[in-house]
Amino acid sequence: MASIVIKGGTVVTADLSHAADVLVEGGVITAIGPDLSGDTVLDAAGCYIMPGGIDPHTHLEMPFMGTYSADDFESGTRAALAGGTTMVVDFILPGQGQGLMDAAQMWHNKSGRANCDYSYHMAVTWWGEKVWEDMALSVAAGIPSFKHFMAYKGALMVNDDELFASFRRVGDLGGLAMVHAENGDVVAELTAKLLAEGNTGPEAHGYSRPPQVEGEATNRAIMIADMAGVPLYVVHTSCEDAHEAIRRARAAGKRVWGEPLIQHLTLDESEYFHPDWDHAARRVMSPPFRDKKHQDSLWAGLQSGSLSCVATDHCAFTTAQKRFGLGDFSKIPNGTGGLEDRLPMLWTQGVGTGRLTPNEFVAVTSTNIAKILNLYPKKGAVLVGADADLVVWDPAKEKVISAGSQQSSIDYNVFEGKTVKGLPRYTLTRGQVAVQDGEIRTEEGHGRFVGRAAQPAVNRALSAWKELTAPRPVQRAGIPATGV
Ligand code: DUC
Ligand code: ZN
Ligand code: ZN
Ligand code: ZN
């Protein structure tokens, strides 16, 4: 079997940095140490050898707001690999009334062209007995994390009674509850008011979803998760109000995690006041970009450990799609890209400024989420036996981000014009070199689905409420309890 040796670099993990060569055979790491040899040599002199990035939050080819997100599993994972990310976790979004496993099959059909490995979260977009039953099948099929939208009223939003019932079910199954935390009722009211007063442009988007709607929903989700006895992962934490709730929950011993996005860390609300409508609309996503106070809070959370993972929420729409919202900001498809730029932007603005150490960078881009999602140490590690999902990172390599040279299918880039210093020299996906000195050598269909096991033993011990009330009646889909 042909082997690859990565020579002359410094291995950087979430724990430590040390000079070593890395030997790769059959898609996995088989040795780490001095003076290794192999059939092919990749020169890592001056570079860091790190676990490839894991993006826990993508929406590839997703039906949303009357259209489909523009990057599919092929272009999305190609963009990921170009930027040093070797795994994505995408959200399965069942339609209203659609069974979860039916939706999962649709996602499996789409993901056959992936260039790197991938996993899924399941979204709970409606509630009923069928969903309650399918949740067990989802866990058995390797999809034990369940996302709930507290916003997008009239479409994806679930109410508190449904949230509580679903969270309890997730807890009983040993899964992970996830939330998009914004108060959808308040967002709907503010949106209607802004439009009625003639505020139709993209600059109104931020006013329709102030930090308070996110702070309130984050607090509510944390309390409901605690009562349900389930761990909680809060996606796209964008502001101090939400971060404060997460920080407080963690300090109180609750198993709650927060996920800032690279966009919220590095772009601010002034983008929505750009005189060019297209410029502003291209940056419309939910939650919206915030001001510097909130950005500082997110960086501080990464430094102190109160926030755990940096994601993208990659949900890219072309300019033509964004223009569906001309004359009504609430119809601008929500979402931005970032898969190719997450690692270079975080390295430049985090490690490059001294805000993060290289080890913290690995933790928040790869290892932490691998542990939270029960992928570790197959993913997120540089260890013998781990998958050879690796990035050989050249801290001296520079470029200016430009849509003209990106892998994503869209016609712009929200980071356009930003200089990044720190880029992949090589990206390896299960031992295959997918990026070599900027040249893309991805192989369509190389990516595989990675199923994940539930963690019932871990999760059972979480909530005092659960301990006090166990054994408890089995609650079926919003239906009266049936007894144990
Ligand atoms: N927010 C976005 O901006 N896009 C996709 C879904 C979401 O919650
Ligand atoms: Zn969301
Ligand atoms: Zn999302
Ligand atoms: Zn292959």
Side-chain angles (χ1 to χ4, degrees):
M1 190 185 305
S3 59
I4 295 174
V5 65
I6 306 169
K7 282 199 82 71
T10 302
V11 172
V12 176
T13 69
D15 300 318
L16 77 166
S17 309
H18 60 109
D21 300 340
V22 176
L23 183 66
V24 174
E25 294 168 291
V28 299
I29 297 169
T30 53
I32 301 167
D35 303 322
L36 300 176
S37 51
D39 301 322
T40 303
V41 177
L42 303 182
D43 175 20
C47 290
Y48 300 123
I49 306 166
M50 307 189 290
I54 300 171
D55 193 332
H57 188 159
T58 68
H59 302 282
L60 300 175
E61 205 182 337
M62 181 179 77
F64 188 56
M65 294 184 76
T67 184
Y68 279 81
S69 58
D71 277 313
D72 60 16
F73 276 84
E74 196 288 309
S75 64
T77 55
R78 177 157 37 85
L81 288 164
T85 288
T86 53
M87 181 169 187
V88 300
V89 190
D90 202 72
F91 287 89
I92 298 171
L93 200 72
Q96 296 302 300
Q98 185 182 26
L100 306 188
M101 301 321 289
D102 190 36
Q105 188 55 53
M106 286 171 57
W107 253 254
H108 279 300
N109 294 346
K110 292 194 267 200
S111 59
R113 298 172 62 213
N115 296 289
C116 69
D117 287 358
Y118 54 92
S119 192
Y120 299 132
H121 309 289
M122 181 63 71
V124 174
T125 55
W126 61 285
W127 190 244
E129 186 125 355
K130 171 75 174 152
V131 176
W132 191 91
E133 285 172 5
D134 278 6
M135 288 170 86
L137 302 178
S138 180
V139 171
I143 309 167
S145 43
F146 296 89
K147 151 109 164 261
H148 305 74
F149 290 90
M150 300 169 80
Y152 299 112
K153 188 175 180 180
L156 303 169
M157 181 170 130
V158 287
N159 295 321
D160 289 350
D161 54 345
E162 299 165 327
L163 204 60
F164 185 45
S166 181
F167 276 16
R168 287 204 284 174
R169 179 66 166 152
V170 178
D172 285 344
L173 293 168
L176 174 67
M178 308 176 80
V179 279
H180 169 131
E182 288 184 301
N183 184 316
D185 289 315
V186 174
V187 170
E189 288 293 318
L190 292 176
T191 301
K193 181 170 187 293
L194 284 158
L195 288 171
E197 290 167 355
N199 295 299
T200 57
E203 66 282 357
H205 175 70
Y207 293 119
S208 73
R209 324 177 84 98
Q212 290 91 331
V213 304
E214 190 182 339
E216 185 281 325
T218 304
N219 271 290
R220 182 160 34 105
I222 288 169
M223 294 305 170
I224 292 175
D226 189 44
M227 290 185 284
V230 69
L232 181 71
Y233 185 94
V234 182
V235 303
H236 49 47
T237 304
S238 77
C239 60
E240 161 61 13
D241 309 58
H243 175 199
E244 186 274 333
I246 294 165
R247 216 163 49 222
R248 187 156 33 85
R250 290 172 65 86
K254 293 175 189 166
R255 203 178 280 266
V256 173
W257 298 279
E259 169 206 84
L261 305 182
I262 190 61
Q263 296 91 324
H264 290 121
L265 287 161
T266 62
L267 301 170
D268 68 37
E269 64 184 2
S270 65
E271 303 279 357
Y272 299 128
F273 296 91
H274 195 281
D276 177 20
W277 189 96
D278 284 338
H279 179 104
R282 288 162 170 167
R283 287 151 179 86
V284 164
M285 65 173 300
S286 296
F289 298 163
R290 308 293 192 189
D291 68 20
K292 189 170 182 309
K293 174 189 108 178
H294 296 294
Q295 293 186 311
D296 287 346
S297 168
L298 301 182
W299 282 106
L302 293 176
Q303 291 173 338
S304 67
S306 52
L307 297 174
S308 305
C309 312
V310 176
T312 62
D313 196 2
H314 187 99
C315 188
F317 295 101
T318 63
T319 303
Q321 290 175 304
K322 289 285 185 178
R323 287 182 182 166
F324 296 166
L326 274 169
D328 179 349
F329 73 87
S330 71
K331 296 199 165 56
I332 300 170
N334 284 200
T336 58
L339 263 170
E340 184 169 349
D341 309 307
R342 178 179 65 128
L343 265 57
M345 282 295 292
L346 190 73
W347 184 274
T348 304
Q349 299 208 14
V351 181
T353 58
R355 286 193 275 211
L356 297 177
T357 67
N359 309 93
E360 288 166 344
F361 173 86
V362 171
V364 300
T365 56
S366 183
T367 306
N368 288 353
I369 194 64
K371 290 178 178 173
I372 293 166
L373 296 182
N374 206 9
L375 288 162
Y376 189 84
K378 176 181 170 66
K379 304 291 188 188
V382 184
L383 288 172
V384 171
D387 281 357
D389 279 8
L390 296 167
V391 60
V392 178
W393 193 259
D394 185 347
K397 193 167 170 172
E398 272 189 60
K399 76 169 184 184
V400 177
I401 294 177
S402 166
S405 55
Q406 74 185 3
Q407 300 301 317
S408 166
S409 302
I410 63 171
D411 55 323
Y412 62 90
N413 186 309
V414 295
F415 303 110
E416 183 77 31
K418 300 228 182 278
T419 299
V420 285
K421 188 172 180 195
L423 285 160
R425 181 181 292 177
Y426 303 105
T427 309
L428 284 80
T429 159
R430 282 199 338 276
Q432 184 197 69
V433 180
V435 175
Q436 174 144 17
D437 269 325
E439 187 194 327
I440 307 299
R441 296 167 43 185
T442 48
E443 178 203 335
E444 196 175 310
H446 171 79
R448 287 187 197 152
F449 171 67
V450 182
R452 297 176 287 117
Q455 295 174 288
V458 175
N459 297 347
R460 285 275 163 203
L462 296 181
S463 161
W465 185 89
K466 189 156 192 165
E467 292 297 309
L468 290 170
T469 55
R472 61 178 199 230
V474 175
Q475 172 88 17
R476 293 182 70 88
I479 322 306
T482 53
V484 211

